[in-house]
Amino acid sequence: KLIDNPNKEIDFDKMVEGLIEFKKVFKGEYWLEIFLLKDINDNEDELDDIIKIVKKIKPDRIQLITATRRVANEKAKALTDEELKKIKKYFNAKCDIEIDIPSVSDNHKGNTKKITEEDIVNFLIRQPDTAYLIAKSFNEEEKRVKELLDVLIKKNKVREEVVNGVVSYAVNI
């Protein structure tokens, strides 16, 4: 509840039951995505509770993820790739399900195109974000991204925002 601030009418146990029932009828490969945040659900007690639920759902594969974009709740802090790897080992020791961890630092490694102002605007139309994550998404140097953001700010196409002490950028529409 602290992470997603769900609709009060959604009952967690019924949602889990729905995932269990769906698994019974779904014919494809069933992945379960688990969203983890530092100091919220990354301790052993929380992980053990998650593992109990995972064992009930019986997915074919698990994907462990963390916050990769700015978050509205200041308590929501991303885990590092190393922390996610440690949690993966913990899961592996307790359940026999294939586990995947997409690495923020590995995103778009194959991109060799030079980033443009237009690329940044199109990226920010979907979601405001930090210079660091824009750079990672385009496999670009953060310095280059900041230079382009400065130009876009001067052109009044983009604005800087501070959310929970984190500087991010949004499109002016």
Side-chain angles (χ1 to χ4, degrees):
K1 290 181 182 181
L2 182 62
I3 297 170
D4 280 334
N5 195 17
N7 182 315
K8 291 174 180 43
E9 294 179 23
I10 296 174
D11 180 80
F12 183 79
D13 292 330
K14 285 184 182 176
M15 181 186 68
V16 170
E17 285 301 318
L19 293 172
I20 293 167
E21 291 303 312
F22 180 75
K23 170 67 169 120
K24 290 177 184 176
V25 297
F26 183 65
K27 303 296 181 214
E29 188 176 50
Y30 187 60
W31 285 48
L32 182 65
E33 187 176 81
I34 300 173
F35 188 60
L36 298 166
L37 293 170
K38 189 173 196 67
D39 300 326
I40 293 179
N41 63 346
D42 64 331
N43 64 61
E44 287 188 8
D45 288 340
E46 292 289 333
L47 294 174
D48 286 340
D49 288 345
I50 293 168
I51 289 168
K52 285 178 193 170
I53 294 169
V54 166
K55 287 180 175 181
K56 288 180 186 177
I57 296 171
K58 300 177 187 169
D60 298 306
R61 194 172 194 158
I62 298 169
Q63 188 170 54
L64 301 177
I65 62 167
T66 193
T68 57
R69 299 194 179 271
R70 71 179 188 167
V71 292
N73 186 330
E74 65 189 36
K75 293 178 184 173
K77 305 240 185 305
L79 294 165
T80 65
D81 287 346
E82 288 306 311
E83 289 167 324
L84 283 171
K85 286 176 187 172
K86 184 178 174 186
I87 291 171
K88 177 182 177 179
K89 285 182 183 177
Y90 188 80
F91 265 77
N92 282 334
K94 299 204 171 219
C95 63
D96 187 30
I97 297 172
E98 188 172 345
I99 300 172
D100 181 51
I101 305 172
S103 170
V104 174
S105 57
D106 287 341
N107 283 348
H108 306 288
K109 275 192 175 172
N111 184 17
T112 57
K113 177 182 173 263
K114 200 83 168 141
I115 189 172
T116 65
E117 292 174 27
E118 183 181 4
D119 292 329
I120 291 176
V121 169
N122 288 333
F123 182 90
L124 294 174
I125 284 171
R126 289 180 295 242
Q127 165 117 14
D129 220 327
T130 64
Y132 172 79
L133 286 172
I134 296 167
K136 287 294 182 192
S137 294
F138 285 94
N139 192 32
E140 184 64 73
E141 294 292 322
E142 189 174 355
K143 180 181 175 192
R144 167 87 173 133
V145 169
K146 286 182 177 179
E147 289 168 358
L148 290 171
L149 286 165
D150 287 342
V151 171
L152 289 166
I153 289 168
K154 286 177 185 160
K155 290 181 178 180
N156 202 32
K157 291 184 177 181
V158 169
R159 70 184 176 279
E160 192 176 271
E161 297 178 340
V162 179
V163 179
N164 297 325
V166 176
V167 176
S168 60
Y169 300 88
V171 173
N172 288 327
I173 296 179

